[in-house]
Amino acid sequence: MADGAPEHSYSTGSLTRGTFSQLDQLRLFESKYDPVTRAVIESLDVRPTWRCLELGAGAGSMSYWLAGQVPEGGVLAVDIDDSRLDADQAPQLTVRQADITATEFEEGGYDLVLARAVLEHLKDPDELLTRAARWLAPGGWLVVEDFYYLPAEHAATAVGRTLVAGYVRRMREQGADLGWARHLPASLARAGLESVGLRLTPAGPGQTPADDELIGLRLRQEGHALVDAGVVTEDELAEFMGLLGRPEGRDMTTLMVSAWARRPAE
């Protein structure tokens, strides 16, 4: 908590501030989604000599894994905040701090470009996707994964409808485009890429233990903001948290859209 900020006390125990870090959330996110992303990339027949670029590398798990797949190539891990990335993880790994909306990379320089949970947060995701396609070498693959948010009014519980609607509204206010991922396969084709592939991964309460852990942590970090804004009450938040891990609380709130396509070989 910042100096001078007012202290808050909640009886539910589900709104603890400052107990978990953003890095904790990133690592839980990685544990949930890395197996999906790895499976997609493994299906592309990765070569040891590939040059790879990860946009929005986060805490680095995919860049580190990619470095192990390309011992004769290289991986460039890029994020606007590179403090969680460790360039010493592998000799073929390079870390760069950069704003991807304002940075150009080598045209035709990469056999694989990966962007996960990044483009939906940009003002013009299609523009970045088109640029990323240019960074591919002939025959190179672009893999993009982002989230399509299902309608909050269709949530499985009344408290879920309230909380998910509030959470989604807050993300929109922060600039996220929560429907863009639905267009992703078509956007890859419009960018001039071919062999477009698609995989959907459901996420939400009760989908997996990792989902429940990630949702619980996220609400412990961010739930107080929803209460402070009057989106939900303490009791509603506590009720939602209490349903995590219980069959009657199971729901799908989002679909992770994994899409991939390649630049035509010249």
Side-chain angles (χ1 to χ4, degrees):
M1 184 168 60
D3 291 342
E7 293 196 25
H8 295 256
S9 175
Y10 297 101
S11 59
T12 65
S14 61
L15 298 171
T16 307
R17 299 168 184 254
T19 305
F20 304 98
S21 70
Q22 185 68 21
L23 183 58
D24 294 322
Q25 189 176 133
L26 283 171
R27 285 175 173 160
L28 278 176
F29 179 92
E30 291 173 344
S31 70
K32 157 77 176 175
Y33 293 108
D34 278 5
V36 177
T37 309
R38 290 177 183 179
V40 168
I41 293 174
E42 286 172 339
S43 73
L44 306 180
D45 191 24
V46 180
R47 306 294 175 85
T49 56
W50 272 15
R51 300 153 296 166
C52 306
L53 168 64
E54 184 178 9
L55 305 172
S61 64
M62 283 307 305
S63 286
Y64 303 156
W65 178 81
L66 280 170
Q69 310 305 303
V70 294
E72 301 169 35
V75 177
L76 175 58
V78 178
D79 203 283
I80 198 166
D81 176 5
D82 65 352
S83 63
R84 302 181 183 95
L85 297 170
D86 180 8
D88 294 329
Q89 285 282 333
Q92 63 272 34
L93 174 67
T94 302
V95 170
R96 182 185 303 176
Q97 188 279 327
D99 177 354
I100 61 174
T101 65
T103 303
E104 285 296 332
F105 299 92
E106 180 185 353
E107 186 165 343
Y110 298 95
D111 302 289
L112 173 70
V113 176
L114 169 64
R116 182 175 68 179
V118 174
L119 271 64
E120 68 185 39
H121 298 284
L122 304 182
K123 184 176 181 180
D124 190 349
D126 283 298
E127 187 272 341
L128 192 286
L129 188 151
T130 300
R131 290 166 55 219
R134 295 200 298 265
W135 303 331
L136 293 172
W141 290 93
L142 175 58
V143 177
V144 181
E145 296 180 312
D146 267 302
F147 291 89
Y148 176 63
Y149 284 71
L150 299 171
E153 61 268 27
H154 298 162
T157 63
V159 69
R161 290 190 285 275
T162 299
L163 191 142
V164 173
Y167 190 81
V168 165
R169 184 163 60 251
R170 186 163 176 260
M171 290 190 65
R172 284 198 178 104
E173 289 169 352
Q174 295 171 346
D177 184 344
L178 306 183
W180 178 78
R182 180 171 179 170
H183 313 152
L184 183 47
S187 294
L188 289 169
R190 285 195 295 269
L193 303 180
E194 62 182 18
S195 302
V196 179
L198 175 67
R199 175 173 174 172
L200 302 177
T201 304
Q207 292 299 315
T208 67
D211 281 86
D212 289 342
E213 191 174 5
L214 180 57
I215 292 167
L217 174 59
R218 190 167 284 161
L219 289 176
R220 285 182 173 90
Q221 290 181 322
E222 303 172 13
H224 63 83
L226 298 176
V227 172
D228 291 347
V231 173
V232 294
T233 66
E234 293 180 45
D235 289 342
E236 286 172 326
L237 186 59
E239 179 184 352
F240 186 89
M241 296 282 283
L243 286 169
L244 291 177
R246 293 170 55 182
E248 59 268 34
R250 187 174 183 179
D251 196 8
M252 285 186 295
T253 55
T254 64
L255 297 173
M256 185 170 81
V257 179
S258 303
W260 56 96
R262 70 188 309 169
R263 178 175 175 177
E266 295 180 354

